[in-house]
Amino acid sequence: MSAPSIRETGRWTGGALPTNVRLGPGTVITGDRWTESQVFRKFASRLDPGLVIGAECRMDGVLFNVGERGRVTIGDHCRFEEVFLIAEQEIRIGSRVIIGWRSTIVDADFHPLSPAERLRDVVACSPLSAGIPRPSISCRPVVIEDDVWIGPNATILKGTRIGAGAFVEPGAVVVQDVLPRTRVLGNPAKQIGEV
Amino acid sequence: MTATPTRIVRVDGNRAIPEDWYPGTVPDNAQIDATAYVGSSYSFQRCRSELPIGVEIGRGASLCDATSLDIGARGVVRLGEYALVNGARIICDTEIEIGDYSLVSWDVVLMDTYRVPFDPDERGRALVDGTFGANPARPIRIGRNAWIGFGACVLPGATIGDGSIVAARSVVAAGVPPYVVVAGNPARIIREQIRAR
């Protein structure tokens, strides 16, 4: 009987991965002079796993800003470049997805919308708060299905689902669901065609 | 900020910029005028043009260092005289021309190609095989004395007329006539006839 094959796992060129990160074989996370040290600087997930990336992905200068209760899942054969992934709850991305330079995917509002709640939140964020808990922030998962293309400078906001094969033009701001195999452009993003 | 002309030197047969923070070189097919300013070889890291001239930087022009010229084998990027490009991402597989006296701000994306097939199945196969063939590209032409505000995107085939302004964060997918201001995503004309009275 032949020896069991040793499965290669992915790596981060910047050093040792947080223990709750799983990378599939052939996946490489890199960064340049500016981004290398930022990749996991705001990765605070206490879930295990808090980040899962499948096989053969290339993540160049991607920022994984994941909150304590947040999780990011990414499929196989994806390519992201200097993308900001901000997850307080969940960002789920399929396989063969391309996301362009300086795009942002975010599943939360960061702060409450109501002025009174927001005031409480601002105080809780202050160094003077002495650990007062912050009010809850609205979060809704973002789902990006297989074979989606997202151009540079795009923004994908909370609670949206981008259907399989969709094409999101550069600079688009996605605030509602994008149907599979459609092409969207603008702020707010609107359908301009099919692919 | 007043930039001074960059003196490009030869180090071990390669062209280099003195006191460059980035450990790269300037490709031989980058034709840089002796009076131009080039901040760093970082800008040429993704430059793969195989044409005799892949980058042309005119008299008194400036290419500031956070700019990235992502140029494919058949691409050429031209900066006219006194043109100032300060931290843009330029994705070029055919031709991108930035006219004399034009300004291009930080985080601007100028792309003459999407670099991928529109068909998601084809795109998926290309990702899995790692072979992206030639995809259609349409030149971008920016006229003289135009101004592209920060974070704007200029899409394949778009043209910007002389003297026009593209407001920050706009997305230009079509032709912008001379001497107008466009804003929004997609960009629309918000002011016309801005030629000096």
Side-chain angles (χ1 to χ4, degrees):
Chain A
M1 203 175 88
S2 62
S5 64
I6 298 166
R7 272 179 76 87
E8 177 211 0
T9 61
R11 64 197 171 87
W12 172 33
T13 55
L17 288 165
T19 55
N20 57 346
V21 171
R22 311 271 184 278
L23 304 186
T27 286
V28 185
I29 299 174
T30 67
D32 65 14
R33 173 193 162 102
W34 290 307
T35 54
E36 183 94 82
S37 63
Q38 306 293 313
V39 173
F40 289 108
R41 194 170 71 88
K42 291 191 174 174
F43 181 81
S45 177
R46 290 190 183 167
L47 302 182
D48 194 2
L51 169 64
V52 183
I53 305 180
E56 303 293 338
C57 290
R58 175 98 197 193
M59 305 275 137
D60 290 335
V62 174
L63 270 62
F64 296 98
N65 293 5
V66 183
E68 289 184 8
R69 289 178 297 260
R71 174 176 284 153
V72 174
T73 317
I74 299 168
D76 303 327
H77 296 284
C78 291
R79 286 197 196 176
F80 302 172
E81 195 167 350
E82 288 190 33
V83 173
F84 299 82
L85 292 169
I86 306 171
E88 292 297 331
Q89 186 178 356
E90 189 183 17
I91 295 176
R92 208 160 70 233
I93 298 172
S95 290
R96 299 171 304 279
V97 172
I98 297 176
I99 306 182
W101 185 69
R102 299 283 171 88
S103 281
T104 300
I105 323 286
V106 55
D107 70 351
D109 285 337
F110 303 105
H111 302 285
L113 297 193
S114 112
E117 284 282 285
R118 193 165 62 253
L119 192 102
R120 282 212 297 137
D121 188 47
V122 170
V123 172
C125 288
S126 158
L128 292 172
S129 77
I132 307 170
R134 293 179 60 184
S136 64
I137 312 291
S138 172
C139 306
R140 277 155 61 208
V142 172
V143 179
I144 297 171
E145 296 179 349
D146 292 342
D147 301 298
V148 166
W149 186 87
I150 298 174
N153 275 354
T155 307
I156 314 297
L157 296 180
K158 75 176 200 299
T160 53
R161 171 181 287 265
I162 302 185
F167 197 89
V168 178
E169 291 279 335
V173 179
V174 174
V175 297
Q176 58 186 24
D177 290 358
V178 173
L179 295 175
R181 300 188 76 113
T182 58
R183 189 170 169 190
V184 297
L185 171 105
N187 179 9
K190 292 204 170 76
Q191 188 177 328
I192 56 164
E194 295 182 357
V195 289
Chain B
M1 175 207 77
T2 307
T4 54
T6 299
R7 188 174 48 90
I8 293 179
V9 296
R10 284 266 168 201
V11 179
D12 302 329
N14 291 315
R15 294 164 86 203
I17 294 171
E19 296 175 41
D20 190 356
W21 59 266
Y22 187 78
T25 58
V26 177
D28 284 334
N29 64 349
Q31 189 180 84
I32 301 169
D33 191 273
T35 62
Y37 167 76
V38 176
S40 170
S41 63
Y42 172 81
S43 294
F44 300 95
Q45 194 192 177
R46 296 177 178 84
C47 186
R48 302 174 303 282
S49 179
E50 291 167 7
L51 298 180
I53 295 175
V55 181
E56 205 179 306
I57 301 180
R59 208 165 60 87
S62 301
L63 185 74
C64 301
D65 66 353
T67 301
S68 182
L69 302 172
D70 184 344
I71 308 178
R74 312 299 303 164
V76 54
V77 172
R78 295 199 182 88
L79 271 66
E81 296 185 0
Y82 293 88
L84 169 60
V85 178
N86 181 13
R89 184 76 183 236
I90 299 179
I91 300 167
C92 173
D93 278 352
T94 173
E95 195 178 348
I96 296 183
E97 197 175 299
I98 298 163
D100 300 345
Y101 310 99
S102 280
L103 301 167
V104 178
S105 313
W106 61 94
D107 289 358
V108 163
V109 174
L110 307 179
M111 51 194 275
D112 70 6
T113 173
Y114 289 97
R115 287 252 168 91
V116 290
F118 281 108
D119 178 67
D121 304 320
E122 254 183 81
R123 198 163 64 235
R125 278 194 295 278
L127 269 171
V128 173
D129 304 342
T131 50
F132 284 89
N135 288 289
R138 289 182 294 153
I140 291 177
R141 294 192 203 286
I142 297 172
R144 287 163 66 90
N145 187 215
W147 182 14
I148 316 290
F150 73 83
C153 299
V154 180
L155 303 186
T159 55
I160 317 281
D162 293 349
S164 284
I165 299 173
V166 174
R169 291 269 175 204
S170 308
V171 175
V172 178
V176 171
Y179 301 102
V180 299
V181 180
V182 297
N185 178 0
R188 293 195 171 83
I189 295 174
I190 59 162
R191 210 163 297 166
E192 295 188 80
Q193 299 293 340
I194 59 168
R195 194 166 211 156
R197 281 164 284 178

